Amino acid sequence: MPYRVVSQFDDFYNLEKRLKVNWERFHSDGVIPNYQRDIVLTSWERCIRNQIDPVKNNGKIISSIQEKKEQNEYLMNIFLPFLDEIFQNFTHDDMSIVLTDHEGIIIEERASLNTLRKLQSYNFHIGADWSEEVAGTNAIGTSLIEKVPVQIFSSEHFCQKSHPWVCSAAPIIDPVTKQIIGVLNLTGGKNLVKAHDMGLVTNKVQKIQQGIGTHLINSNVFQIYSLLETIKDPVLIFDMSGNILQHNEAARYLFGVNFGEQLSKVLETPINQMDLNNKPKKFVLDDVKKEGGNEWRITIQPYKLGTYLLGGMATFEKIAKDKSAQVSSKGNRTRYGFDHMLTNEPSMLQLIKLAKRAAFSENTVLIGGETGTGKEILAQSIHDYGPRQKKPFVGVNCGAIPRELLASELFGYEGGAFTGAKSQGKKGKFQLADGGSIFLDEIGDLPLDAQVYLLRVLEEHTVIPVGGIEPVPIDVRVIAATHKDLKQEIRKGKFREDLFHRLNVISLTILPLRERRNDISLLIEFFLKEASKGVNCPQVEEEVWRAFHTYSWPGNIRQLKNVIEQAIFHTDDGVITRKDIPQDLQSVIMGLPVPETEASVPGQWKGQWKKKLNRENLIDVIQKTNGNISEVARFYNVSRMTIYRKLKQFGLE
């Protein structure tokens, strides 16, 4: 261990003599010693800057030891059994075992009466401050600064009164905030072999930390880490120095925070120790956080071990801009989340990662992709994943609303605005989505006059109902989607370029199914189980399986799902065959070549492709794959379900 001083006791006296010479030359002539450990030299330099007197300075007695003990009662209750256990090994030796708090103040001690009397003159007892700033280089104070186990031997101590002793100390780390909450120290005469046992000290500290961790687990504190990512609002955990120790994705994306940065980067009002000490329970800050055009109410929850304050947790809740305009979100909930987006394709996984980040942004999102690729599922997932999750999600198909009703449907109308209108008026889709998200599907089909109005809504965050005069403020996150090439529509004069740029702040494009070949098997198996509700799940004949993987799927995932449902309806014996699928897929089967290519056939089987999956050929392939069913399925380009069915059919189970 680099922090251990004496590794071979044959060198003990030579080491002690050399250290004494080094100490005297350093203090008399200012000579930097040769072969002195870096951790000691660095500490001595700090002592010089702190104007520590090497002859007079020692531990300093404080007046509030009872208060310190009360603050650290939690730590002491965990520590005392270990303290007594260590002391049993040294009952008759010139040894002392002490526990300090995070400032280096001794709060508990075990030692023989003879040792206690000796240490009294050095102020090394309960109630004494042994921080490096007070007592110079010593194991307790230096380990607090260096944040590692430290052993200080004889004349390595900066202050002369400590030279008869060797001290070994290890900091105790809180497993949640990673802060030092105390120090375990073993002090003994410099010529006592047992006093050099750093392993004993560090081992006991590890057990103390495990005890703290066990208590925290029992108290459910560690659930914070798993809960962080399920909470849609921003959450930060910080220590008493204001360092951000943990945060969830919402805080990272909204506020741009990183681990180790200062809390002051996020909070307008600084949090100090007095605030947290005086508020034993959570409290709300007077000021709010303004970010991205929104205001966030901040709640602070102090984090303590017993009565010992270690930091806290800050949670942020978005404040509705106009509470009177809020409407019930009943009937406007999402049905889909990111877990519904089944994929193994790296490009799709990257798209989902970007979409999750977009969920915490207030910018508009434009989703592109062919019909049936799942644009609405992605839109709902973005809403469901972000802080607007509990607010309305309102979907609008811009191509399905008659042109003459479009304005009133989107923006509402005042009572008596036109013949046949409700006398009390009606809220439009934007007002119904207030506080949440509106999904404008097929935005490319929106008429030009409605595009002008939509652009104004996006820029001013207000709507004017048909027949109305006063603008109505709205807080709506806009997600749009289209299967059209909007740049091409702009060139045709059918879509406004300024609206395109206003919508296209965050652009996400979903790949067509023909470019996600690796996902076809995954989707087929999912739709089979879903359609059959997991009971007597149908199997797929090998030629149909190959057709599914060869077909271009112009209708994408929606078409694949419909084909599976149709095939299940038509099948008679629980096996989907050619007759159960649509004609265009049957045509694919008719034109399928024998799949004998360099890419599709394993090297050891090139030239041996068996077109028919008969008993003889199946036995041959099973032998060559050593019974690996996945390899067999890949060889025949069919599902494993088909192989298992054939094994049963041929009596090869």
Side-chain angles (χ1 to χ4, degrees), residues 218-394:
N218 293 337
S219 302
N220 298 318
V221 176
F222 276 132
Q223 289 184 4
I224 290 174
Y225 291 128
S226 60
L227 285 173
L228 280 181
E229 295 309 328
T230 65
I231 298 173
K232 304 305 180 183
D233 292 332
V235 180
L236 303 170
I237 294 178
F238 56 90
D239 63 19
M240 282 314 304
S241 298
N243 298 310
I244 296 173
L245 305 172
Q246 294 287 337
H247 58 68
N248 62 356
E249 287 187 341
R252 179 166 70 253
Y253 293 146
L254 283 170
F255 305 144
V257 298
N258 292 303
F259 299 126
E261 293 182 336
Q262 281 289 305
L263 190 64
S264 57
K265 178 178 179 179
V266 180
L267 298 188
E268 307 290 337
T269 304
I271 302 296
N272 56 51
Q273 188 167 351
M274 184 176 296
D275 291 331
L276 293 175
N277 268 324
N278 293 337
K279 306 275 184 135
K281 297 182 179 180
K282 63 181 180 181
F283 58 97
V284 179
L285 295 184
D286 294 333
D287 292 340
V288 298
K289 169 72 176 176
K290 296 180 179 180
E291 188 70 34
N294 292 306
E295 293 184 346
W296 300 83
R297 182 182 295 108
I298 307 167
T299 301
I300 304 295
Q301 172 74 59
Y303 169 57
K304 297 182 179 182
L305 285 180
T307 60
Y308 179 40
L309 185 66
L310 286 170
M313 179 170 66
T315 58
F316 299 76
E317 179 186 6
K318 190 165 71 171
I319 302 171
K321 294 181 179 179
D322 181 9
K323 293 183 179 179
S324 63
Q326 292 299 311
V327 296
S328 170
S329 60
K330 185 177 181 181
N332 291 317
R333 292 295 187 185
T334 55
R335 294 187 297 125
Y336 301 108
F338 284 116
D339 56 337
H340 290 89
M341 299 190 68
L342 304 178
T343 183
N344 288 321
E345 285 284 350
S347 56
M348 284 297 295
L349 294 174
Q350 178 63 22
L351 174 74
I352 291 173
K353 181 179 179 180
L354 292 175
K356 287 182 176 180
R357 181 179 299 179
F360 298 102
S361 170
E362 290 298 306
N363 291 321
T364 54
V365 176
L366 182 60
I367 301 173
E370 295 179 3
T371 299
T373 51
K375 295 188 290 296
E376 182 166 3
I377 292 177
L378 182 59
Q380 290 194 22
S381 300
I382 291 171
H383 173 83
D384 179 70
Y385 196 74
R388 294 178 180 262
Q389 176 197 37
K390 296 179 181 179
K391 300 299 182 180
F393 177 90
V394 177

Side-chain angles (χ1 to χ4, degrees), residues 462-524:
T462 61
V463 295
I464 301 178
V466 175
I469 299 175
E470 295 296 327
V472 179
I474 55 168
D475 171 24
V476 176
R477 201 278 175 84
V478 175
I479 304 173
T482 181
H483 72 282
K484 294 182 176 181
D485 182 347
L486 292 186
K487 291 184 179 179
Q488 182 66 25
E489 295 297 298
I490 291 171
R491 287 191 286 271
K492 293 178 181 178
K494 295 182 178 181
F495 202 84
R496 293 181 62 93
E497 185 173 7
D498 49 2
L499 178 59
F500 170 75
H501 293 305
R502 187 64 182 80
L503 292 170
N504 196 40
V505 179
I506 299 175
S507 179
L508 302 171
T509 302
I510 305 179
L511 294 177
L513 189 55
R514 62 182 174 277
E515 296 180 23
R516 297 170 53 186
R517 294 290 178 184
N518 293 333
D519 287 342
I520 293 177
S521 297
L522 183 69
L523 292 165
I524 291 172

Side-chain angles (χ1 to χ4, degrees), residues 46 104 130-133 136 138-146 169 183:
R46 286 194 297 266
W130 275 80
S131 61
E132 194 182 82
E133 295 84 351
N138 70 92
I140 294 171
T142 305
S143 71
L144 282 171
I145 292 177
E146 299 289 346
V183 174

